[in-house]
Amino acid sequence: MLLFYFLSLFVTAKAELLSGSCSFQDSICDYMFDFHPAFLSWTLKSSGLFITVKEHVQEDQGKGKAVLFGPDVEQRDWSCFRMVYQVTGSASLQVQKRTDVESFDEVLWMTQSPFDRQLIASIDLQNSTETLKIVIEGKLEEEGSSVSIFEIKISDKYCIECDFEEDHLCGYTNEWNRYMNWRVGRSDDSALNDGTGQYMYVDSKSFQEVARLASPMTTVPMPGCLSFQYQQYHAGDHLFTLFSRDQAGQYQELWRADLPENNNVNWSPETRVWSSISYRGLSSPGPGRPM
């Protein structure tokens, strides 16, 4: 029996891009290079639409570092910093926050993990009365390493919000399974393609497989609720569950579609409808209750 699982997360309003957003197509926008003589330099690759630091590290030079300063960002109620990047070889990339009231830069995010394709870093920026500046630092440990940045977007919303209409997943990650994985786009199922827009979906011909879609990590409480639309086919043959996972790796079940109080829809093959749920409780320390 062919099993289908479908999920679409949506936002209620179009996000506005704030200062500090840049696609690096023709320029570095309002960013500035740090030309300190002891630092390595960033290079704008106009053909590839990205900036990169990729230089030979001399033996007497030690660790090579390149620094990129962003423009002032006026904080609003909340904002999300998203960066499309790639790290290869023995290198690291770090994002810091600088304000006038602090005597040191606060590290928001960093990675030392090389990867053979582009990745996305998503960082929630809390509301503040202080103007902040983003400082990006790339380090090379040995020859053949590189750090590249393809795009930066700072928007007036939470990082967890995504409508899956862009070419990337807003920082969501597909926790890989060789037999069954989430995909973004439009499936081959004609019953789902009578409208417009994209969605996340997963289908499998195998039983007892698990497909997991993980959101960006949210480290501070958020007001409001998590809302999404979903559709199931052959719902009696599988589980569709919403979990939270903390930084220690502990899971907590928040919502399950097959519970009687959560599933009042006839999921017969002839009935294909999108259902909406709103879950409150992510901002509280204990478990919340679905609406």
Side-chain angles (χ1 to χ4, degrees):
M1 180 181 295
L2 184 62
L3 307 181
F4 288 93
Y5 310 70
F6 300 99
L7 169 65
S8 174
L9 274 72
F10 64 91
V11 292
T12 57
K14 182 70 173 179
E16 178 184 349
L17 293 183
L18 307 180
S19 62
S21 301
C22 188
S23 61
F24 301 107
Q25 293 187 5
D26 302 312
S27 69
I28 61 172
C29 304
D30 296 323
Y31 284 83
M32 297 179 60
F33 297 144
D34 189 330
F35 294 104
H36 191 284
F39 291 172
L40 300 177
S41 59
W42 293 92
T43 302
L44 176 65
K45 297 290 187 179
S46 56
S47 59
L49 307 180
F50 62 96
I51 59 173
T52 186
V53 51
K54 183 179 180 180
E55 294 189 9
H56 297 299
V57 181
Q58 304 298 327
E59 292 183 359
D60 59 348
Q61 186 180 17
K63 298 179 180 179
K65 178 173 70 174
V67 178
L68 185 68
F69 295 113
D72 290 340
V73 178
E74 297 289 342
Q75 281 288 76
R76 302 190 179 184
D77 290 340
W78 205 279
S79 54
C80 175
F81 174 93
R82 286 201 180 102
M83 177 176 64
V84 183
Y85 71 95
Q86 185 173 10
V87 173
T88 66
S90 180
S92 64
L93 181 61
Q94 188 174 100
V95 178
Q96 304 169 354
K97 180 179 72 173
R98 176 175 298 180
T99 62
D100 294 334
V101 297
E102 298 290 344
S103 58
F104 58 90
D105 296 341
E106 176 186 353
V107 176
L108 300 176
W109 172 91
M110 69 171 299
T111 182
Q112 295 177 309
S113 302
F115 215 80
D116 59 359
R117 60 180 174 83
Q118 299 176 21
L119 298 175
I120 299 177
S122 296
I123 307 166
D124 282 312
L125 303 176
Q126 287 184 263
N127 55 337
S128 172
T129 58
E130 302 295 333
T131 299
L132 66 89
K133 186 186 297 291
I134 296 294
V135 181
I136 301 175
E137 185 178 287
K139 289 184 178 180
L140 306 184
E141 303 290 346
E142 60 184 29
E143 291 188 14
S145 305
S146 68
V147 174
S148 302
I149 300 175
F150 298 84
E151 183 182 68
I152 293 174
K153 285 186 177 181
I154 305 177
S155 57
D156 60 338
K157 64 177 185 179
Y158 302 112
C159 287
I160 200 172
E161 292 181 306
C162 186
D163 57 10
F164 301 117
E165 291 295 339
E166 299 189 40
D167 294 334
H168 52 71
L169 302 183
C170 311
Y172 280 73
T173 56
N174 191 21
E175 299 190 346
W176 187 79
N177 179 324
R178 62 178 299 182
Y179 298 108
M180 189 169 70
N181 287 283
W182 290 91
R183 288 178 281 178
V184 64
R186 298 178 67 81
S187 73
D188 296 330
D189 190 349
S190 59
L192 289 168
N193 293 330
D194 56 353
T196 60
Q198 297 187 147
Y199 44 82
M200 290 295 301
Y201 69 97
V202 57
D203 58 71
S204 175
K205 298 180 180 179
S206 302
F207 290 98
Q208 298 180 344
E209 293 295 336
V210 177
R212 294 178 178 174
L213 183 69
S215 76
M217 176 68 73
T218 299
T219 57
V220 293
M222 298 183 300
C225 64
L226 173 67
S227 298
F228 62 89
Q229 295 178 332
Y230 71 99
Q231 182 174 136
Q232 296 182 111
Y233 182 33
H234 292 303
D237 300 320
H238 65 265
L239 295 177
F240 177 35
T241 312
L242 177 68
F243 287 90
S244 65
R245 183 175 64 193
D246 60 24
Q247 290 179 303
Q250 299 298 315
Y251 286 84
Q252 180 183 9
E253 183 176 312
L254 304 178
W255 175 90
R256 188 189 298 178
D258 63 338
L259 294 179
E261 63 268 28
N262 297 333
N263 192 1
N264 298 317
V265 179
N266 178 15
W267 293 111
S268 64
E270 294 78 18
T271 304
R272 306 296 295 277
V273 296
W274 290 96
S275 277
S276 299
I277 75 156
S278 295
Y279 176 83
R280 295 187 184 275
L282 295 180
S283 60
S284 62
R289 300 183 62 182
M291 296 177 58

